Amino acid sequence: AALCGSMGAALAAMVPNLSVMWRTPKDYRDEMSSISEEAQALKDWFLVAIDADTDAFTKVIEANRMPAGTDEEKTAKAEALKLANRGATEVPLDVLERCLPVFDLATHAAEKGNPNSLSDAGVAGLCAMAGAEAAWYNVLINLNGIEGDAEWVQTTRKRADEALSTAETKAAALQKLVRDRLRAGA
């Protein structure tokens, strides 16, 4: 999920970078540079999140390997699993929510950027949507492993569902924009 998000953000940064070479007015360069810098920061965050997700899942594995022979061990293992599954849920939830600004940046780049890079802005949206949906899948699968915290599970599920719905809306709008402009000859 984070890898897909990073690819989307990288493409959202690439379009304005290529656009600066296309137009040179200072205000345009500043606007495109701002989009690129924000997208680059997101790309960097997603790359760190790849390892954070791996680390969170490793904690789930470690908690599952804990002994459960005594009542104390069973209690300790259950608590460790709950905390580990929470962590394994929070990382993809963050990824899902951070995919949302990628759509905005790619849309802005598609609207104002170099028309020869329009397809790249569209692919940025496709990658961001793949990241968002993959992250949503991971949130839901990890929520299944959390017991004894129904309120947190419900709140987290609602947050994930709302973010996915927003991603779908933003992705559809970007897709329409790109397709319409491509059909019209950019």
Side-chain angles (χ1 to χ4, degrees):
L3 178 60
C4 291
S6 74
M7 291 187 301
L11 286 165
M14 185 182 81
V15 174
N17 284 337
L18 293 173
S19 299
V20 169
M21 293 184 275
W22 174 62
R23 271 197 200 152
T24 55
K26 184 179 178 343
D27 59 338
Y28 181 80
R29 281 195 322 268
D30 291 346
E31 180 180 18
M32 290 294 111
S33 292
S34 177
I35 294 168
S36 180
E37 288 171 15
E38 190 173 342
Q40 286 287 354
L42 281 167
K43 178 203 61 131
D44 293 343
W45 183 90
F46 284 120
L47 292 175
V48 171
I50 293 169
D51 290 332
D53 189 56
T54 301
D55 293 343
F57 187 69
T58 298
K59 288 179 181 163
V60 173
I61 292 170
E62 290 169 353
N64 273 308
R65 291 181 178 160
M66 291 175 67
T70 67
D71 287 343
E72 286 178 357
E73 288 175 339
K74 288 176 186 175
T75 300
K77 182 175 182 172
E79 184 63 23
L81 277 168
K82 178 179 159 184
L83 291 174
N85 279 311
R86 264 187 163 207
T89 302
E90 290 167 346
V91 173
L93 183 59
D94 286 345
V95 168
L96 171 55
E97 291 175 336
R98 290 201 191 220
C99 283
L100 300 179
V102 175
F103 296 109
D104 299 330
L105 295 165
T107 298
H108 196 70
E111 290 170 338
K112 294 192 172 186
N114 184 336
N116 295 320
S117 298
L118 180 61
S119 60
D120 297 310
V123 175
L126 295 172
C127 290
M129 191 61 224
E133 185 134 359
W136 183 79
Y137 291 166
N138 289 331
V139 168
L140 295 189
I141 198 77
N142 290 322
L143 285 175
N144 291 334
I146 298 174
E147 296 178 10
D149 204 348
E151 183 179 332
W152 188 86
V153 169
Q154 182 180 7
T155 301
T156 302
R157 171 71 185 257
K158 182 179 181 203
R159 197 170 136 196
D161 288 345
E162 288 172 356
L164 181 66
S165 178
T166 300
E168 290 169 335
T169 300
K170 289 175 182 271
L174 175 57
Q175 183 181 58
K176 181 177 179 349
L177 170 68
V178 170
R179 286 182 177 185
D180 289 351
R181 289 198 57 209
L182 287 171
R183 285 184 182 121

